[in-house]
Amino acid sequence: LQQTIGEKSALLSHNKRSLETLKAREAALCADDRGVQKIRRVINAVRNFEHQQLDTGVTVVQNDMEPQKLLEHLTERIGEYSAEDTPESIARTMKKLKKMSKVKGSGGQILDIICPCCQRSMDTNEVMMFDATMESLSDPIRSELIQTDQASVGKNRSALRNYETWRKIVSQSMPDYLDHTRITNEVNDLEVSVSNGEDELKPMQDEL
C-alpha cells in the first residue's frame, strides 16, 4: 500500500505541476496583446458596426462565433462591398453600352446603331438622343446615376477598409486562438485527472 501511495502521489504531483504550467500558458495567451483578445475585440467591433450600418440592424455575428466562421463572414462582406458600384464603374458601364450599340462589319466599319438592350435599330434622332444620354450618364457632374451613388461611395469604401482590417487581424491571430483552444482542452483533462487522483489517494492515506 505504501508503494502504491507513493506512486500515485508522484503522479498527482506531476499532474499538478503540469496543470500550473498549462494554466500559466493559457493566461498568457489571453493577454491584451495576444490573438485571443484581438479576435474578441474584432467580434465586438463587427457586431457594433453591423448593428449601426445594416438596414436591418441585425448581425449574424455572435459573441461566441468561431474565428473560422468569422473569417468566412468577413470575406463575404468584403466581396459584397468590393462589388458595389462606384462612379468609375458606372462610367465604364455606360461606355460599354455605347460600344455595344455599334454593329460593325468585318472591316470594322459601322453598319448600324442599335439599342444595346433590345437590339432594335435606331434612327438618326434616336441615335443622337442615345449618345447624349450615355454622355450625360457618364459625366460625374451631370449623371444622376453617379450623383445618387456618390453619397454611398465613401461609406462603402470605409466599410470595405474596416472589413479588410478585421479579416487581417483575425487571420494573424488564429495561431494564438488554436493554441489557446488546445491548451484549454488539456487543462480541462488534467483537472479531471488531478481530481480523480486526489479522490483515489485520500482513502489510501486514511488507512495508514
Side-chain angles (χ1 to χ4, degrees):
L1 181 61
Q2 187 72 45
Q3 182 179 351
T4 302
I5 291 175
E7 291 173 353
K8 288 187 175 294
S9 294
L11 178 61
L12 182 59
S13 296
H14 171 75
N15 285 342
K16 285 183 175 180
R17 287 193 301 272
S18 297
L19 184 58
E20 289 177 3
T21 301
L22 285 174
K23 284 187 173 181
R25 291 172 60 191
E26 183 182 38
L29 287 168
C30 287
D32 282 343
D33 61 341
R34 299 301 296 266
V36 174
Q37 291 300 330
K38 288 181 180 179
I39 291 175
R40 287 173 181 167
R41 287 196 291 270
V42 167
I43 288 176
N44 289 334
V46 174
R47 283 175 55 79
N48 291 334
F49 179 81
E50 294 189 348
H51 277 310
Q52 296 170 6
Q53 299 296 325
L54 297 183
D55 293 335
T56 59
V58 177
T59 175
V60 298
V61 178
Q62 302 300 316
N63 287 321
D64 59 351
M65 190 176 214
E66 291 289 327
Q68 293 90 339
K69 292 292 185 183
L70 179 60
L71 280 174
E72 291 176 9
H73 176 75
L74 297 175
T75 299
E76 182 180 336
R77 288 293 185 203
I78 288 171
E80 291 172 358
Y81 279 106
S82 297
E84 290 283 346
D85 287 331
T86 64
E88 295 80 7
S89 67
I90 292 173
R92 286 195 298 270
T93 300
M94 295 303 106
K95 289 180 180 178
K96 286 181 182 178
L97 288 174
K98 192 171 181 179
K99 184 177 181 180
M100 289 169 59
S101 71
K102 298 174 182 178
V103 179
K104 295 184 178 181
S106 58
Q109 72 277 22
I110 297 177
L111 302 178
D112 194 10
I113 303 294
I114 63 172
C115 171
C117 300
C118 66
Q119 306 291 300
R120 177 181 60 82
S121 291
M122 294 187 285
D123 60 31
T124 303
N125 288 334
E126 289 173 329
V127 169
M128 291 176 60
M129 183 178 296
F130 173 77
D131 286 343
T133 301
M134 291 295 102
E135 289 295 332
S136 175
L137 292 175
S138 301
D139 188 333
I141 297 177
R142 294 182 295 152
S143 174
E144 293 182 7
L145 283 177
I146 292 178
Q147 291 301 321
T148 300
D149 192 70
Q150 192 81 274
S152 63
V153 168
K155 181 179 178 181
N156 290 345
R157 285 177 176 168
S158 175
L160 178 60
R161 285 194 297 271
N162 286 340
Y163 281 111
E164 288 175 337
T165 299
W166 290 328
R167 183 172 66 175
K168 181 178 180 181
I169 292 172
V170 175
S171 295
Q172 293 176 340
S173 299
M174 282 301 292
D176 274 359
Y177 170 81
L178 293 174
D179 279 348
H180 181 267
T181 300
R182 176 180 57 78
I183 290 173
T184 297
N185 290 334
E186 290 179 8
V187 165
N188 292 338
D189 290 342
L190 262 181
E191 284 179 336
V192 172
S193 296
V194 167
S195 178
N196 290 341
E198 289 175 337
D199 290 343
E200 291 176 6
L201 193 60
K202 190 175 184 307
M204 293 181 185
Q205 291 172 330
D206 290 344
E207 288 183 26
L208 294 180

